[in-house]
Amino acid sequence: MASIFTRIVNGEIPSYKVAENENYYAFLDINPLAKGHTLVIPKMEEDYIFNLPADVYAGLWEFANKVAKAIDKAVPCKRVGVAVLGMEVPHAHIHLVPLNSESDLQFSNQKLSLTKEEFEQIASNIAQEFLSL
Ligand code: 5GP
């Protein structure tokens, strides 16, 4: 069965898309630690990020680098933090989280509750910056 993230890539489940190319997809985390919390995934279905083929793995980080730069421009923050967990969804992904302090990257923190309009606005702002890079 397709993973929930593959279903997002295929448009079967809606997402707030931030960026996409042939092999990778980036979208807002639905339970964000901060405004602009983004997930970057390979379209290839593989549970564990460190089991990705070397070229897909390298390309994922290259794509995430560009997405992080777009987040940096679109979201007020000191810098963008990175985390890889995969404890919940068995489809490799990188978390990019705008940070103002170290504690902003604690996954035990209370998640933000944003409106559809807020998600749409944030995704659109990041997407616009991504396209201008
Ligand atoms: P992890 O697997 O890295 O431990 O956590 C998975 C992350 O994916 C969580 O931060 C969770 O909020 C996010 N997530 C899970 N299901 C969905 C979904 O259907 N849509 C979106 N946008 N994010 C999801």
Side-chain angles (χ1 to χ4, degrees):
M1 206 179 101
S3 78
I4 192 161
F5 288 172
T6 292
R7 296 181 66 203
I8 283 176
V9 169
N10 293 340
E12 296 164 26
I13 295 174
S15 69
Y16 300 100
K17 183 166 95 169
V18 159
E20 180 177 18
N21 71 11
E22 192 188 346
N23 298 314
Y24 305 100
Y25 191 88
F27 56 106
L28 296 182
D29 194 299
I30 204 68
N31 291 306
L33 284 169
K35 283 187 179 180
H37 180 170
T38 298
L39 302 175
V40 186
I41 68 169
K43 291 185 179 177
M44 172 183 282
E45 256 198 26
E46 164 59 50
D47 174 1
Y48 192 34
I49 191 169
F50 299 119
N51 283 341
L52 285 169
D55 57 334
V56 180
Y57 177 83
L60 176 64
W61 285 102
E62 193 181 338
F63 191 75
N65 180 301
K66 205 174 156 190
V67 175
K69 289 189 166 97
I71 295 171
D72 249 322
K73 291 186 168 210
V75 181
C77 63
K78 283 195 177 157
R79 55 182 55 215
V80 174
V82 177
V84 175
L85 287 81
M87 303 306 287
E88 184 188 326
V89 178
H91 183 138
H93 53 280
I94 295 170
H95 293 259
L96 297 176
V97 184
L99 303 180
N100 287 301
S101 70
E102 186 184 308
S103 60
D104 292 342
L105 199 50
Q106 281 173 15
F107 279 78
S108 53
N109 288 352
Q110 173 125 30
K111 307 302 185 297
L112 298 184
S113 168
L114 304 177
T115 64
K116 185 174 187 288
E117 289 70 29
E118 285 175 305
F119 274 118
E120 281 172 353
Q121 188 62 60
I122 296 163
S124 160
N125 291 350
I126 299 171
Q128 229 173 310
E129 294 295 349
F130 184 85
L131 290 176
S132 71
L133 286 171

